[in-house]
Amino acid sequence: MATNTESVDLVGDEAATNLARAALFAALVGAFAYVSFPFPLSPAPVTLQVLGVFLAGIFLGPLWGGLALVLYLLAGALGAPVFAGGSAGFAALVGDSAGYLWSYPIAAALVGGIVHRGIALRDLNAVRLPTLVGATVVGTLVIYALGVVGLVLSLDLALGEAVIQGAVVFLPAEAAKIAAAVGIVRSDAITAA
């Protein structure tokens, strides 16, 4: 009697590896959400989540970086305590910080697309500093544009008030996150390979 030892791969090794990386970065953003404190000048808290968004886009590229943040939102919506301060549930996706949260997959995809000049990953050592900084600035603009819109809609703030409370007051913190992302990429301590 002959036995068939041939296996069938339902998902290729590369896709499985990329999915695992996306899940890892989703978890990283969730962990960064625990570094959260209320900010008296804004209804939104200060967190490290945006740093995770930058890193997902830079290390995973536009497709898998964006997917990582979709997984993050899905996990939070299903009850995993991965939103700011350990909050969870669908209510966070329609509350005061919803605009920021919904922007994360878009921002990660844009950061990845700019850094890698398309879908395919390129060697991060070949990416110049202005490209890294520019990509993270674009990601920041997307996050704060949608965050401000969310504040206008959820809190009935005037646009100018929402821009100040939802974006301008966070600029020093965002500059530090951009510097941290660039420092991590340039440190050679982490590789996506």
Side-chain angles (χ1 to χ4, degrees), residues 15-16 23 28-29 31 35-37 39 43 49 52 73 93 105 107-108 117 122 131 138-139 147 154 162 176 179 189:
L28 178 67
V29 174
V35 181
S36 171
F37 56 91
F39 193 45
Q49 291 162 292
L73 295 179
L93 295 174
R117 296 184 182 159
R122 67 183 197 151
T131 301
V138 168
S154 67

Side-chain angles (χ1 to χ4, degrees), residues 126-169:
V127 178
R128 296 181 38 182
L129 181 63
T131 301
L132 285 171
V133 172
T136 55
V137 167
V138 168
T140 301
L141 292 173
V142 167
I143 290 167
Y144 283 100
L146 290 177
V148 164
V149 168
L151 291 176
V152 167
L153 295 174
S154 67
L155 297 177
D156 199 28
L157 295 175
L159 181 59
E161 186 180 15
V163 167
I164 291 169
Q165 290 184 18
V168 173
V169 297

Side-chain angles (χ1 to χ4, degrees), residues 56-67:
I58 291 168
F59 284 107
L60 300 179
L63 178 64
W64 292 101
L67 180 63

